[in-house]
């Protein structure tokens, strides 16, 4: 009798990846996807129609499947209200859709942006594990998680107007946290919808099977330990972009940018002296008033330093005056500056001409600056950025925080401090941090090992699902 044919190999684990539809989140989730693909995982990436249109023109051969979600809010997201609107819209439209996907397909696990806690409801009763990926820093996640403790202890809402008062009920940050460093929506009182939403959603993190964080232990280990008291299974696998490069065999990593990059700025940088340029960018969401734009602009021109500035088409609030910029600014910019609508940021930051980064401290920008060894000048706009910038100055000693001030004299003073007076000090600490970041993503490093553990755990989840 002919021997029985061997059983077919098990199909590879199928992971649904679902980012929150904003540049910083989509970017980080795509990097996670690219890190998981070589392990043979089969990935379906859920995406809005608008982001899909932007990405498919840039991503060559993604190696995974997109699943497009129609009918979501696709406008700007520069206020808490708009963020809340999108979250409501996502919860309503997408919970049933996600549930159908989970039920109709052999899904091994869902990796959802942790800000979308409705993924838990979608998977309820199906046995499919839900892993939350929080794209913010561990320190921001922990501050969000601690909002309820701040309310219980009476530190929230603030009494009086002194934003420099110490906050003592975010464990592990007692020594340096001030009211002004808490997530921006903490300033608006307890009825603020974003405050309630972010606090409630973050408190659901322990209901997920695991949490992925885009950070590394040498950067945020003590804060990760605080989170672990509530969510024991955490995978710190960042900085993702460095991790991806460290594992990639090919030199070209595809761009995850949702905007068209103006690469002419690299040519301009090539013509500048080493460590002479201030790179200025406020990410994809932050907006400035016309007054703030002019204060920054005067500050940059008056600092006499060379600068490369990303002025997005929608950087200045749409209802603000769009009249011409003063002649002296145009002339100062022609002499020492270069403006683009969107830059290839990772390439800019590692360019030898760049000395410092004036940033809003979105988490991706912060990590990219850390990996490039570039000191920061922080001007946080909202949400997590307030606490990131506090860590930049007070904990990691990687630059100076100018939050809540925006006038030309301060810009001149701080640019001068970071690029001249204390340049060696900040460059020294930035270089130390690069070493730790790179160690974490090399074979044997903490993030490297954690990613291997995540992949093994996803494979185990897949086998357990099949056995059921
Ligand atoms: C948002 C939030 O604002 C941020 O605080 C949160 O941590 C993630 O989501 P965003 O404001 O866009 O993101 O900031 P950030 O996280 O820094 O992400 C911006 C990304 O766009 C970075 O990866 C950066 O490299 C990229 N970028 C920015 C460019 O490629 N070119 C540019 O000109 C500007």
């Amino acid at each position: 009798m002919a021997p029985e044919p061997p059983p077919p190999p098990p199909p590879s684990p199928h992971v649904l990846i679902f980012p929150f539809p904003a540049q910083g989140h989509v970017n980080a989730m795509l990097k996670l996807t690219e890190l998981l693909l070589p392990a043979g995982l089969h990935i379906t990436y859920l995406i809005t129609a608008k982001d899909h249109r932007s990405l498919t023109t840039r991503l060559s051969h993604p190696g995974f499947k997109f699943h497009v979600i129609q009918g979501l809010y696709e406008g700007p997201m520069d206020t808490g209200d708009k963020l809340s609107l999108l979250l409501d819209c996502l919860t309503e439209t997408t919970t049933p859709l996600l549930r159908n996907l989970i039920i109709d397909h052999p899904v091994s696990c869902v990796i959802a942006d942790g800000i979308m806690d409705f993924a838990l409801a979608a998977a309820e009763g199906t046995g499919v594990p839900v892993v939350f990926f929080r794209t913010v820093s561990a320190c921001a996640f922990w501050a969000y998680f601690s909002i309820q403790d701040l309310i219980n202890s009476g530190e929230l809402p603030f009494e009086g107007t002194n934003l420099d008062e110490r906050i003592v009920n975010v464990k592990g940050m007692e020594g340096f946290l001030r009211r002004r460093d808490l997530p921006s929506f903490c300033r608006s009182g307890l009825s603020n919808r974003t405050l309630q939403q972010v606090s409630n959603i973050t408190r659901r993190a322990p209901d997920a099977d695991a949490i992925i964080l885009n950070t590394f232990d040498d950067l945020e280990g003590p804060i990760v330990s605080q989170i672990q008291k509530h969510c024991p299974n955490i995978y710190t696998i960042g900085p993702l972009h460095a991790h991806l490069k460290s594992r990639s065999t090919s030199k070209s990593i595809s761009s995850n940018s949702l905007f068209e990059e103006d690469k002419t700025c690299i040519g301009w940088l090539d013509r500048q002296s080493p460590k002479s340029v201030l790179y200025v960018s406020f990410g994809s969401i932050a907006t400035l008033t016309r007054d703030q734009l002019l204060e920054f602009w005067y500050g940059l021109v008056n600092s006499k330093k060379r600068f490369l500035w990303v002025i997005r088409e929608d950087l200045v609030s749409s209802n603000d005056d769009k009249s011409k910029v003063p002649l002296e600014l145009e002339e100062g910019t022609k002499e020492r500056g270069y403006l683009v609508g969107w830059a290839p940021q990772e390439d800019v930051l590692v360019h030898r001409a760049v000395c410092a980064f004036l940033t809003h401290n979105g988490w991706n920008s912060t990590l990219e600056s850390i990996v490039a060894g570039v000191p920061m000048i922080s001007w946080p706009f909202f949400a997590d950025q307030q606490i990131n910038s506090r860590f930049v100055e007070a904990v990691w000693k990687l630059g100076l925080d100018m939050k809540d001030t925006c006038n030309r004299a301060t810009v001149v003073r701080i640019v001068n401090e970071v690029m001249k007076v204390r340049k060696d000090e900040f460059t020294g600490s930035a270089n130390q941090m690069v070493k730790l970041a790179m160690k974490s993503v090399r074979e044997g490093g903490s993030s490297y090992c954690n990613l291997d553990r995540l992949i093994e755990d996803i494979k185990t989840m897949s086998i357990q699902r099949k056995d059921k």
Side-chain angles (χ1 to χ4, degrees):
M1 214 165 75
E4 288 251 318
S12 50
H14 180 200
V15 184
L16 282 187
I17 292 199
F18 193 9
F20 182 74
Q23 168 77 61
H25 298 246
V26 170
N27 189 358
M29 281 287 211
L30 276 169
K31 287 191 161 125
L32 172 69
T33 304
E34 288 184 70
L35 278 166
L36 295 177
L37 279 174
L41 306 185
H42 172 62
I43 290 176
T44 302
Y45 192 94
L46 277 68
I47 191 161
T48 63
K50 183 179 165 206
D51 290 350
H52 185 245
R53 279 192 302 277
S54 309
L55 274 179
T56 41
T57 55
R58 290 176 180 76
L59 273 183
S60 49
H61 316 298
F64 56 91
K65 222 168 62 191
F66 282 115
H67 185 98
V68 179
I69 306 161
Q70 304 287 350
L72 293 180
Y73 167 80
E74 291 184 337
M77 237 174 311
D78 54 345
T79 63
D81 286 352
K82 291 174 197 159
L83 188 109
S84 295
L85 178 72
L86 177 57
L87 270 175
D88 289 342
C89 181
L90 271 166
T91 307
E92 202 176 304
T93 321
T94 324
T95 311
L97 186 144
L98 187 59
R99 188 165 180 82
N100 287 343
L101 273 175
I102 293 171
I103 290 170
D104 295 346
H105 298 80
V107 174
S108 318
C109 97
V110 176
I111 301 182
D113 198 307
I115 194 79
M116 304 191 306
D117 64 332
F118 59 83
L120 292 170
E124 200 176 317
T126 64
V128 172
V130 175
V131 176
F132 276 166
F133 178 17
R134 286 310 293 253
T135 55
V136 290
S137 55
C139 58
F141 176 88
W142 182 232
Y144 292 168
F145 197 93
S146 304
I147 286 172
Q148 195 53 53
D149 300 327
L150 294 174
I151 296 171
N152 296 345
S153 65
E155 288 195 278
L156 266 185
F158 302 155
E159 261 175 39
T161 53
N162 180 11
L163 287 178
D164 287 320
E165 200 155 297
R166 278 294 150 92
I167 291 289
V168 294
N169 281 292
V170 182
K171 300 269 177 300
M173 303 186 195
E174 298 86 345
F176 56 86
L177 203 67
R178 307 159 301 177
R179 285 174 171 178
R180 70 171 75 252
D181 306 317
L182 285 173
S184 53
F185 40 74
C186 290
R187 300 181 188 189
S188 321
L190 298 191
S191 57
N192 180 281
R193 176 129 170 71
T194 314
L195 173 99
Q196 294 169 357
Q197 235 171 356
V198 171
S199 168
N200 293 340
I201 289 171
T202 308
R203 280 276 167 169
R204 293 215 62 196
D207 297 337
D209 291 81
I211 311 282
I212 300 170
L213 290 173
N214 184 11
T215 190
F216 57 103
D217 292 351
D218 277 325
L219 186 71
E220 295 196 280
I223 302 299
V224 172
S225 304
Q226 296 286 351
I227 303 172
Q228 257 163 340
K229 292 178 189 163
H230 302 266
C231 311
N233 196 13
I234 295 183
Y235 306 89
T236 49
I237 59 169
L240 283 177
H241 68 294
H243 202 158
L244 192 55
K245 281 194 186 120
S246 151
R247 289 198 184 230
S248 172
T249 44
S250 119
K251 276 218 161 77
S252 68
I253 307 253
S254 46
S255 165
N256 296 337
S257 185
L258 297 176
F259 305 93
E260 192 72 51
E261 292 168 345
D262 182 345
K263 297 200 166 90
T264 60
C265 58
I266 299 291
W268 181 82
L269 285 173
D270 287 344
R271 296 191 292 279
Q272 312 306 317
S273 317
K275 295 224 174 293
S276 64
V277 173
L278 177 68
Y279 171 58
V280 186
S281 163
F282 301 109
S284 63
I285 300 173
T287 53
L288 302 179
T289 62
R290 166 94 181 161
D291 281 350
Q292 288 171 328
L293 179 91
L294 289 181
E295 288 307 308
F296 274 119
W297 210 327
Y298 271 109
L300 294 174
V301 167
N302 295 349
S303 76
K304 306 282 185 224
K305 295 280 183 283
R306 300 195 162 254
F307 61 93
L308 165 61
W309 190 359
V310 178
I311 302 195
R312 288 186 340 257
E313 213 175 51
D314 58 350
L315 179 66
V316 176
S317 331
S318 52
N319 41 2
D320 260 40
D321 166 27
K322 290 266 186 326
S323 52
K324 268 184 87 62
V325 294
L327 195 62
E328 69 253 40
L329 292 186
E330 278 194 0
E331 278 172 359
T333 305
K334 237 184 257 158
E335 231 175 87
R336 286 183 301 277
Y338 197 79
L339 309 182
V340 289
W342 191 252
Q345 181 163 302
E346 286 181 40
D347 296 339
V348 165
L349 283 169
V350 294
H351 196 285
R352 59 165 184 78
V354 171
C355 174
F357 183 13
L358 169 51
T359 169
H360 70 313
N361 277 134
W363 189 232
N364 293 296
S365 294
T366 308
L367 283 175
E368 288 160 15
S369 204
I370 287 174
V371 167
V374 174
M376 286 170 260
I377 297 171
S378 304
W379 191 74
F381 177 68
F382 75 171
D384 55 321
Q385 298 154 16
Q386 266 74 15
I387 199 156
N388 295 342
S389 66
R390 186 58 173 162
F391 271 68
V392 165
E393 180 180 292
V395 181
W396 304 321
K397 318 278 186 208
L398 295 174
L400 295 177
D401 183 4
M402 56 172 277
K403 69 160 64 84
D404 300 323
T405 52
C406 179
N407 59 66
R408 58 194 80 180
T410 308
V411 175
V412 173
R413 183 176 56 78
I414 296 204
V415 168
N416 196 45
E417 280 284 300
V418 173
M419 293 182 70
K420 195 167 157 202
V421 182
R422 297 172 68 186
K423 182 177 179 181
D424 291 347
E425 174 193 337
F426 289 127
T427 308
S429 39
N431 286 341
Q432 284 303 320
M433 198 57 95
V434 180
K435 285 189 194 135
L436 296 174
M438 297 319 290
K439 189 179 86 182
S440 76
V441 294
R442 273 198 292 269
E443 196 164 355
S446 58
S447 294
Y448 193 100
C449 295
N450 286 338
L451 179 66
D452 284 347
R453 182 166 63 86
L454 172 66
I455 290 167
E456 281 318 303
D457 290 351
I458 290 174
K459 289 181 175 166
T460 310
M461 287 170 195
S462 171
I463 293 164
Q464 284 169 347
R465 285 274 299 149
K466 273 190 228 96
D467 289 349
K468 278 191 184 156

Short mmCIF file of all heavy atoms in Angstrom, two decimals, residues 249-269:
data_model
loop_
_atom_site.label_atom_id
_atom_site.label_comp_id
_atom_site.label_asym_id
_atom_site.label_seq_id
_atom_site.Cartn_x
_atom_site.Cartn_y
_atom_site.Cartn_z
N THR A 249 18.12 43.47 4.31
CA THR A 249 19.28 43.11 3.51
C THR A 249 19.42 44.09 2.34
O THR A 249 20.49 44.29 1.81
CB THR A 249 19.14 41.68 2.95
OG1 THR A 249 17.81 41.55 2.47
CG2 THR A 249 19.45 40.66 4.00
N SER A 250 18.28 44.72 1.98
CA SER A 250 18.36 45.64 0.84
C SER A 250 18.62 47.06 1.35
O SER A 250 18.22 47.42 2.45
CB SER A 250 17.06 45.58 0.04
OG SER A 250 16.42 46.82 0.04
N LYS A 251 19.28 47.87 0.54
CA LYS A 251 19.64 49.23 0.97
C LYS A 251 18.44 50.16 0.93
O LYS A 251 18.31 51.08 1.72
CB LYS A 251 20.74 49.78 0.07
CG LYS A 251 22.13 49.34 0.50
CD LYS A 251 23.11 50.51 0.30
CE LYS A 251 24.38 50.34 1.09
NZ LYS A 251 25.32 49.41 0.52
N SER A 252 17.51 49.89 -0.03
CA SER A 252 16.39 50.82 -0.19
C SER A 252 15.17 50.35 0.58
O SER A 252 14.65 49.26 0.35
CB SER A 252 16.05 50.97 -1.67
OG SER A 252 15.51 49.76 -2.13
N ILE A 253 14.77 51.16 1.52
CA ILE A 253 13.56 50.87 2.28
C ILE A 253 12.49 51.78 1.68
O ILE A 253 12.73 52.96 1.47
CB ILE A 253 13.77 51.22 3.76
CG1 ILE A 253 15.02 50.52 4.28
CG2 ILE A 253 12.54 50.95 4.58
CD1 ILE A 253 14.87 49.38 5.19
N SER A 254 11.31 51.22 1.42
CA SER A 254 10.30 52.03 0.74
C SER A 254 9.83 53.19 1.62
O SER A 254 9.81 53.09 2.84
CB SER A 254 9.12 51.16 0.35
OG SER A 254 8.77 50.36 1.43
N SER A 255 9.44 54.28 0.97
CA SER A 255 8.98 55.44 1.73
C SER A 255 7.54 55.23 2.17
O SER A 255 6.70 54.81 1.38
CB SER A 255 9.08 56.69 0.86
OG SER A 255 8.33 57.72 1.44
N ASN A 256 7.26 55.52 3.42
CA ASN A 256 5.89 55.38 3.93
C ASN A 256 5.19 56.72 3.96
O ASN A 256 4.17 56.88 4.62
CB ASN A 256 5.92 54.80 5.35
CG ASN A 256 6.48 53.41 5.36
OD1 ASN A 256 6.44 52.74 4.34
ND2 ASN A 256 7.00 52.98 6.49
N SER A 257 5.74 57.69 3.31
CA SER A 257 5.21 59.03 3.42
C SER A 257 3.89 59.18 2.69
O SER A 257 3.71 58.68 1.58
CB SER A 257 6.23 60.00 2.83
OG SER A 257 5.78 61.31 3.03
N LEU A 258 2.96 59.87 3.35
CA LEU A 258 1.66 60.11 2.71
C LEU A 258 1.72 61.37 1.85
O LEU A 258 0.74 61.72 1.22
CB LEU A 258 0.57 60.25 3.78
CG LEU A 258 0.31 59.01 4.65
CD1 LEU A 258 -0.72 59.32 5.72
CD2 LEU A 258 -0.15 57.84 3.81
N PHE A 259 2.82 62.09 1.88
CA PHE A 259 2.95 63.33 1.11
C PHE A 259 4.14 63.21 0.14
O PHE A 259 5.05 62.43 0.37
CB PHE A 259 3.20 64.53 2.04
CG PHE A 259 2.15 64.69 3.10
CD1 PHE A 259 2.33 64.11 4.36
CD2 PHE A 259 0.98 65.38 2.87
CE1 PHE A 259 1.37 64.25 5.35
CE2 PHE A 259 0.02 65.52 3.85
CZ PHE A 259 0.21 64.95 5.09
N GLU A 260 4.08 64.03 -0.90
CA GLU A 260 5.17 64.03 -1.89
C GLU A 260 6.41 64.70 -1.27
O GLU A 260 6.33 65.84 -0.81
CB GLU A 260 4.67 64.84 -3.09
CG GLU A 260 5.53 64.73 -4.32
CD GLU A 260 5.40 63.37 -5.00
OE1 GLU A 260 4.26 62.95 -5.24
OE2 GLU A 260 6.46 62.75 -5.26
N GLU A 261 7.55 63.99 -1.25
CA GLU A 261 8.75 64.56 -0.64
C GLU A 261 9.49 65.46 -1.63
O GLU A 261 9.66 65.09 -2.79
CB GLU A 261 9.70 63.44 -0.21
CG GLU A 261 9.15 62.61 0.93
CD GLU A 261 9.94 61.33 1.16
OE1 GLU A 261 10.72 60.93 0.27
OE2 GLU A 261 9.76 60.74 2.23
N ASP A 262 9.94 66.61 -1.17
CA ASP A 262 10.74 67.50 -2.00
C ASP A 262 12.22 67.20 -1.71
O ASP A 262 12.79 67.65 -0.71
CB ASP A 262 10.41 68.96 -1.65
CG ASP A 262 11.18 69.94 -2.53
OD1 ASP A 262 12.16 69.51 -3.17
OD2 ASP A 262 10.81 71.12 -2.55
N LYS A 263 12.82 66.41 -2.61
CA LYS A 263 14.20 65.93 -2.35
C LYS A 263 15.25 66.98 -2.71
O LYS A 263 16.45 66.76 -2.46
CB LYS A 263 14.46 64.63 -3.11
CG LYS A 263 13.54 63.50 -2.63
CD LYS A 263 14.10 62.13 -3.02
CE LYS A 263 13.41 61.01 -2.28
NZ LYS A 263 12.26 60.44 -2.92
N THR A 264 14.83 68.12 -3.26
CA THR A 264 15.83 69.14 -3.64
C THR A 264 16.57 69.65 -2.40
O THR A 264 17.68 70.16 -2.50
CB THR A 264 15.18 70.34 -4.35
OG1 THR A 264 14.22 70.93 -3.46
CG2 THR A 264 14.49 69.93 -5.65
N CYS A 265 15.94 69.50 -1.23
CA CYS A 265 16.60 70.02 -0.03
C CYS A 265 17.88 69.26 0.29
O CYS A 265 18.78 69.79 0.95
CB CYS A 265 15.64 69.99 1.17
SG CYS A 265 14.99 68.38 1.55
N ILE A 266 17.99 68.02 -0.20
CA ILE A 266 19.23 67.26 0.06
C ILE A 266 20.38 67.92 -0.70
O ILE A 266 21.49 68.06 -0.17
CB ILE A 266 19.06 65.77 -0.35
CG1 ILE A 266 17.93 65.12 0.46
CG2 ILE A 266 20.37 65.00 -0.20
CD1 ILE A 266 18.20 64.93 1.94
N GLY A 267 20.10 68.36 -1.92
CA GLY A 267 21.12 69.08 -2.71
C GLY A 267 21.54 70.35 -1.99
O GLY A 267 22.73 70.69 -1.92
N TRP A 268 20.57 71.05 -1.43
CA TRP A 268 20.88 72.28 -0.69
C TRP A 268 21.74 71.95 0.53
O TRP A 268 22.75 72.62 0.79
CB TRP A 268 19.57 72.98 -0.28
CG TRP A 268 19.78 74.26 0.46
CD1 TRP A 268 20.04 75.48 -0.08
CD2 TRP A 268 19.77 74.45 1.89
NE1 TRP A 268 20.20 76.42 0.92
CE2 TRP A 268 20.03 75.81 2.14
CE3 TRP A 268 19.58 73.61 2.99
CZ2 TRP A 268 20.10 76.35 3.42
CZ3 TRP A 268 19.64 74.13 4.27
CH2 TRP A 268 19.90 75.50 4.47
N LEU A 269 21.37 70.88 1.24
CA LEU A 269 22.16 70.48 2.42
C LEU A 269 23.60 70.12 2.01
O LEU A 269 24.55 70.44 2.73
CB LEU A 269 21.51 69.28 3.12
CG LEU A 269 20.26 69.56 3.95
CD1 LEU A 269 19.63 68.26 4.44
CD2 LEU A 269 20.57 70.47 5.15
#
